[in-house]
Amino acid sequence: MNHQIPPSSVDASGFGETVKMFRPNKTKTGAAITVQAVKSRGANPVETVNIEGAYWAAGERSARWEEKTTVQVSRQELPKFAATLTGFSPGMEAKFHGESKNTGYSMDSTTMELSVFSPGRKIAIRLNPDEVFWLSSLVLSQLKRSRPGLSVSDILNLLKLSYSKPRR
């Protein structure tokens, strides 16, 4: 069955669906990461996602979003990010993001750890199966919006063909 996805999940504010993940750690501090559907900036905008990470200090009621690190996944990186989430690729790291080209993110399909980093800080969360499901769904939906003629099954097959075996 081929379900229709609306042309864009992004509203007038430029932001769309969000997957939020929060974790305490052993020092009673923690981390928060959100992944949100967006349209990229620039002359030829495409559907993609922003990844934001913030620390959660001990004793505070919420994460320090005013000190967040934000990375926009590029058009070229989105398939690899999806392939890592779905287990077709062992992992990925993307660097040189942001105005100063000093932020980035990584995803490991073995540990299911998603991290966002900037100079002197790294915010990381190990995703649970529910989070992997919702995050994979969001990223695959954004890929589908970029290629409306393909079904999600087509996209998954392309990811498998592209990333699950060594390229020659």
Side-chain angles (χ1 to χ4, degrees):
M1 182 177 298
N2 191 4
H3 297 300
Q4 295 296 317
I5 293 181
S8 178
S9 65
V10 178
D11 64 19
S13 70
F15 299 100
E17 180 184 350
T18 304
V19 176
K20 300 177 182 183
M21 297 148 285
F22 305 95
R23 292 289 183 287
N25 67 27
K26 293 177 178 149
T27 62
K28 302 206 188 255
T29 61
I33 292 181
T34 64
V35 181
Q36 186 169 37
V38 297
K39 277 197 176 190
S40 65
R41 298 177 285 272
N44 298 309
V46 295
E47 301 281 343
T48 188
V49 296
N50 279 356
I51 304 171
E52 297 180 333
Y55 280 112
W56 196 315
E60 293 187 5
R61 297 183 60 90
S62 65
R64 294 182 175 174
W65 291 110
E66 67 277 3
E67 299 173 12
K68 69 185 175 187
T69 299
T70 303
V71 177
Q72 186 166 92
V73 177
S74 73
R75 177 179 186 262
Q76 294 78 16
E77 295 163 355
L78 196 61
K80 178 84 176 203
F81 188 48
T84 304
L85 281 166
T86 55
F88 296 131
S89 176
M92 68 165 301
E93 182 176 67
K95 299 179 181 180
F96 309 111
H97 282 263
E99 289 181 20
S100 300
K101 306 290 184 208
N102 62 355
T103 60
Y105 68 98
S106 64
M107 178 73 207
D108 184 304
S109 69
T110 304
T111 63
M112 295 313 291
E113 182 177 278
L114 174 61
S115 65
V116 181
F117 49 86
S118 59
R121 71 189 304 181
K122 178 181 176 182
I123 300 153
I125 288 181
R126 286 193 179 198
L127 307 178
N128 66 40
D130 293 332
E131 292 163 339
V132 172
F133 174 84
W134 291 112
L135 188 52
S136 297
S137 173
L138 175 64
V139 172
L140 289 169
S141 292
Q142 291 300 87
L143 280 173
K144 178 157 178 36
R145 285 182 184 89
S146 294
R147 292 289 180 255
L150 298 176
S151 70
V152 172
S153 294
D154 293 337
I155 292 169
L156 284 167
N157 283 328
L158 282 169
L159 291 173
K160 183 176 182 181
L161 287 169
S162 300
Y163 294 100
S164 66
K165 60 183 174 184
R167 306 293 298 166
R168 293 183 188 174

